[in-house]
């Protein structure tokens, strides 16, 4: 999976939780889940669970701790996929 | 230092499914999960603990300017139905919650019983930006009165980690405050307003 596909998949995952449409339209690697997309922090856990389901990976607590942006999520997903 | 968080209970029911597999283990410690399991109202305890963690986290971020997402690292203890502690690393945060049938609102501080000014809102708009503006305006109003300065000389801007700060004519004030809104409800808390 290349970066573009990864971003597209992430976009699909976060869509139900975003509260800023404009930031969602402009989503890039730099986008922050909370500060930009205004995802409720209680829903971040849903994003993480959905990522686990979608990619069939397990996101441990140390990785989850960093998962605040699209870029961080992409790096974690790539690392976990490589470990499979 | 004060941090707060509010949860609209009706919206929480729709937005989050706390019974979803994995949800509780990603957010709560084993001890907290046991308490939730044994509770007569697990839904309420889930959101009480959540608001305690979130408000303590907001205190921490104000002080340290470091963001992270590690809800299980902050552990809640209840001292009474509405008072509690949140333990994180070597720090203790003291929490006070307000539980109504509509919302749960928590205020966390690093000093026990420090005096705060706080105000709860019930909105007739669901637009997030509009709600945020209403809370900011009220916070500026009360600060203008406390400091005896014109309303328009005050502004609120977020810093690099997304923490809002009060400014008087572009000079940052040392006031610690926190704002939260969710669903139909909002709250601000403020301490130590000095020039």
């Amino acid at each position: 999976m290349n970066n573009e596909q990864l971003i597209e998949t992430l976009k699909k995952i976060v869509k139900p939780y975003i509260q800023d449409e404009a930031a969602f339209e402009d989503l890039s690697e730099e986008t922050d889940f909370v500060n930009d997309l205004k995802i409720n922090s209680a829903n971040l856990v849903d994003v993480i669970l959905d990522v686990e389901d979608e990619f069939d990976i397990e996101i441990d607590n140390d990785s989850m701790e960093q998962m605040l942006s699209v870029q961080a999520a992409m790096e974690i997903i790539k690392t976990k996929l490589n470990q499979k | 230092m004060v941090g707060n968080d509010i949860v609209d209970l009706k919206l929480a029911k729709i937005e989050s499914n706390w019974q979803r597999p994995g949800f509780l283990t990603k957010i709560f410690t084993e001890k907290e999960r046991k308490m939730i399991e044994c509770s007569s109202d697990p839904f309420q305890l889930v959101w009480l603990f959540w608001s305690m963690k979130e408000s303590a986290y907001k205190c921490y971020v104000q002080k340290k300017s470091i963001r992270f997402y590690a809800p299980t690292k902050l552990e809640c203890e209840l001292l009474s139905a509405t008072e509690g502690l949140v333990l994180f690393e070597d720090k203790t945060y003291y929490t006070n919650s307000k539980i109504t049938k509509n919302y749960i609102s928590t205020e966390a501080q690093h000093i026990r019983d420090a005096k705060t000014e706080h105000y709860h809102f019930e909105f007739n708009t669901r637009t997030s930006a509009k709600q945020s503006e209403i809370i900011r305006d009220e916070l500026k109003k009360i600060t203008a009165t406390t400091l005896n300065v014109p309303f328009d000389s005050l502004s609120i801007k977020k810093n690099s980690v997304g923490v809002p700060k009060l400014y008087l004519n572009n000079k940052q004030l040392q006031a610690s405050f926190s704002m939260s809104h969710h669903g139909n409800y909002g709250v601000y808390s403020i301490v130590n307003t000095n020039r």
Side-chain angles (χ1 to χ4, degrees), chain B:
Chain B
M1 204 68 63
V2 65
N4 68 16
D5 186 57
I6 196 162
V7 178
D8 179 328
L9 293 172
K10 221 178 267 172
L11 186 61
K13 233 172 223 157
I14 303 166
E15 264 184 358
S16 301
N17 173 12
W18 65 272
Q19 284 157 312
R20 171 181 189 180
F23 188 91
L24 292 179
T25 46
K26 287 241 187 283
I27 294 185
F28 299 107
T29 65
E30 203 182 327
K31 207 169 115 195
E32 290 165 342
R33 294 200 304 269
K34 279 227 168 74
M35 288 170 74
I36 291 165
E37 206 179 292
C38 298
S39 168
S40 59
D41 191 345
F43 169 78
Q44 182 176 293
L45 194 55
V46 161
W47 295 110
L48 175 62
F49 280 165
W50 173 262
S51 71
M52 287 168 69
K53 285 173 191 252
E54 184 68 13
S55 53
Y57 169 76
K58 281 166 86 172
C59 255
Y60 178 87
V61 178
Q62 266 180 59
K63 192 160 170 72
K64 300 282 185 182
S65 293
I66 299 167
R67 296 172 64 219
F68 55 88
Y69 191 63
T72 57
K73 281 196 177 171
L74 296 104
E75 185 160 68
C76 302
E77 266 179 38
L78 286 178
L79 303 174
S80 72
T82 54
E83 287 168 305
L85 304 174
V86 177
L87 309 173
F88 173 61
E89 293 174 347
D90 57 344
K91 292 163 206 57
T92 303
Y93 297 94
Y94 301 89
T95 64
N96 241 303
S97 303
K98 185 177 173 190
I99 304 172
T100 76
K101 66 176 184 6
N102 296 317
Y103 63 79
I104 294 178
S105 160
T106 297
E107 202 171 85
Q109 298 185 70
H110 68 305
I111 301 166
R112 196 170 194 162
D113 297 327
K115 207 175 167 309
T116 62
E117 301 264 3
H118 50 178
Y119 189 80
H120 287 91
F121 300 80
E122 183 171 354
F123 298 113
N124 45 27
T125 169
R126 280 302 278 271
T127 315
S128 173
K130 186 76 200 153
Q131 292 184 351
S132 179
E133 194 189 318
I134 291 169
I135 302 176
R136 283 166 181 240
D137 279 355
E138 279 305 314
L139 195 63
K140 284 196 281 179
K141 244 185 246 172
I142 183 184
T143 307
T145 309
T146 310
L147 298 179
N148 196 21
V149 296
F151 176 86
D152 290 333
S153 63
L154 294 166
S155 57
I156 294 174
K157 283 177 245 170
K158 284 191 173 175
N159 71 8
S160 58
V161 283
V163 175
K165 298 283 179 190
L166 258 169
Y167 289 81
L168 171 63
N169 296 323
N170 298 320
K171 182 180 170 278
Q172 194 184 314
L173 296 171
Q174 291 309 307
S176 169
F177 65 97
S178 191
M179 301 178 286
S180 176
H181 61 97
H182 183 231
N184 284 326
Y185 304 95
V187 61
Y188 73 68
S189 310
I190 183 164
V191 281
N192 310 328
T193 320
N194 298 306
R195 284 195 196 212

Side-chain angles (χ1 to χ4, degrees), chain A residues 46-79:
Chain A
D46 291 299
V47 170
I48 289 157
L49 290 169
D50 290 347
V51 165
E52 288 189 335
D53 291 346
E54 175 72 34
F55 296 96
D56 192 24
I57 53 175
E58 198 194 320
I59 294 170
D60 55 278
N61 284 350
D62 285 344
S63 305
M64 175 166 133
E65 196 164 335
Q66 308 307 323
M67 249 177 93
L68 292 164
S69 66
V70 170
Q71 187 167 28
M74 287 170 69
E75 275 165 28
I76 291 159
I77 294 165
K78 280 193 242 174
T79 308

